[in-house]
Amino acid sequence: MSTSNERLSGKVAVVTGGASGIGRASVLRFVAEGARVVVGDRDGAGLADLAAEVGDAVEVVEGDASNEEDVTALVATAVERFGRLDVAFANAGIGSAQRIVDADLAEWSKVLDVNLTGPFLLVKHAGRVMDRGGSIIVTASLNAVQAGTGMAAYCASKAGVAMLVQVAALELGPRGIRVNAVGPGFVRTALTEGAFLLPEIVDGYVENTPLGRHGTPDDIAAVTAFLASDDAAYVSGTLQLVDGGAHIMRYPDILGIVGA
Ligand SMILES: NC(=O)c1ccc[n+]([C@@H]2O[C@H](COP(=O)([O-])OP(=O)(O)OC[C@H]3O[C@@H](n4cnc5c(N)ncnc54)[C@H](O)[C@@H]3O)[C@@H](O)[C@H]2O)c1
């Protein structure tokens, strides 16, 4: 990643799930573009590494993105430490793989809690304190629009996020707050590292991606930084797919590939 832009100069952001993958790349990009960032994650060691790498432009807060007290504390830290909040990126998310007929209810609920209720809580608390307008971004997925076997909870949570940002854009637009979702395709991160152990899965994704490769966290961070910036001043209520064009093809049958 390289940029000479300072599009986020003077802005203060919060990012959930910022210790790894897409969230981490976005934190680095936001800082490179001039922002100060309060980073939340449940991974304290990952947060400490990030803080050591970046220095004063970040503040880290360990916590659970699906817990209302922790989300409140994250937003309060931004206001107390940096005096304002301009950008909120609800990015923490988890996956799961289970056929509906075999599904464990607790696993279904956990995925919905982190992937959908978590963003709802950040929209709620960030929306309360953004008194000069702002930009809220939620990480959805290609799976907001494309179904995958074994992925009922994940797909439903991400489709829910795509609609959550529309309702939030309606409610918060009159206060100058834009709300958008970013929808990554298949990106190499800790979340997908298991899939990289099986070349057939990677091939299945890449064959169904017109641009012929998997994505990188920086591919996604480029779009989250755009949405955070005033370059996106007239963009709200959208789902920005960043998937190499995969949404116009078909999702690989993951359970079929692994023989489950
Ligand atoms: N990697 C992909 O292919 C892909 C594709 C589409 C969407 N996404 C979405 O991107 C987002 C980021 O995923 P990633 O691929 O960077 O994965 P990742 O595992 O590298 O990063 C996710 C981060 O979120 C944190 N986290 C998870 N649950 C949390 C919780 N309850 N509270 C606080 N932090 C929590 C993890 O500790 C981790 O640091 C997720 O919402 C994921 O669903 C990823």
Side-chain angles (χ1 to χ4, degrees):
M1 186 273 299
S2 74
T3 175
S4 57
N5 285 336
E6 289 258 323
R7 292 183 298 183
L8 304 180
S9 184
K11 293 193 190 291
V12 175
V14 295
V15 177
T16 67
S20 174
I22 291 165
R24 191 177 203 282
S26 296
V27 171
L28 296 177
R29 180 80 186 234
F30 288 2
V31 169
E33 296 214 25
R36 288 165 297 169
V37 187
V38 176
V39 187
D41 205 291
R42 64 182 177 184
D43 172 9
L47 287 176
D49 286 348
L50 180 69
E53 182 180 332
V54 180
D56 284 348
V58 300
E59 180 85 16
V60 297
V61 181
E62 190 173 339
D64 181 345
S66 64
N67 177 293
E68 186 156 19
E69 279 179 22
D70 289 357
V71 174
T72 310
L74 186 72
V75 168
T77 301
V79 176
E80 283 158 20
R81 172 84 164 80
F82 297 124
R84 55 189 288 153
L85 184 65
D86 306 284
V87 175
F89 181 26
N91 165 75
I94 55 174
S96 84
Q98 50 178 5
R99 279 187 201 281
I100 295 170
V101 293
D102 303 322
D104 171 43
L105 180 58
E107 185 168 335
W108 163 274
S109 299
K110 179 77 186 158
V111 172
L112 271 289
D113 280 351
V114 178
N115 293 7
L116 182 56
T117 304
F120 160 75
L121 292 171
L122 190 61
V123 171
K124 172 180 170 179
H125 291 282
R128 285 183 176 183
V129 301
M130 284 179 168
D131 49 12
R132 289 173 256 211
S135 171
I136 301 175
I137 306 153
V138 182
T139 305
S141 167
L142 169 61
N143 292 121
V145 298
Q146 211 172 55
T149 51
M151 300 175 77
Y154 189 79
C155 292
S157 71
K158 297 302 188 178
V161 154
M163 182 51 76
L164 172 69
V165 302
Q166 293 189 41
V167 176
L170 271 180
E171 294 185 4
L172 298 173
R175 291 176 42 217
I177 300 170
R178 301 180 291 101
V179 191
N180 293 283
V182 64
F186 185 58
V187 177
R188 187 164 197 168
T189 67
L191 186 70
T192 54
E193 210 44 58
F196 279 87
L197 300 174
L198 286 174
E200 305 93 302
I201 294 184
V202 177
D203 291 349
Y205 279 109
V206 171
E207 281 163 14
N208 286 298
T209 302
L211 290 180
R213 66 170 176 87
H214 63 78
T216 68
D218 285 345
D219 288 327
I220 314 306
V223 177
T224 58
F226 161 70
L227 290 171
S229 79
D230 294 344
D231 281 351
Y234 205 48
V235 182
S236 195
T238 69
L239 168 62
Q240 305 275 323
L241 293 169
V242 190
D243 65 354
H247 63 281
I248 50 179
M249 297 184 73
R250 56 194 291 275
Y251 205 77
D253 176 8
I254 302 300
L255 291 187
I257 291 172
V258 300

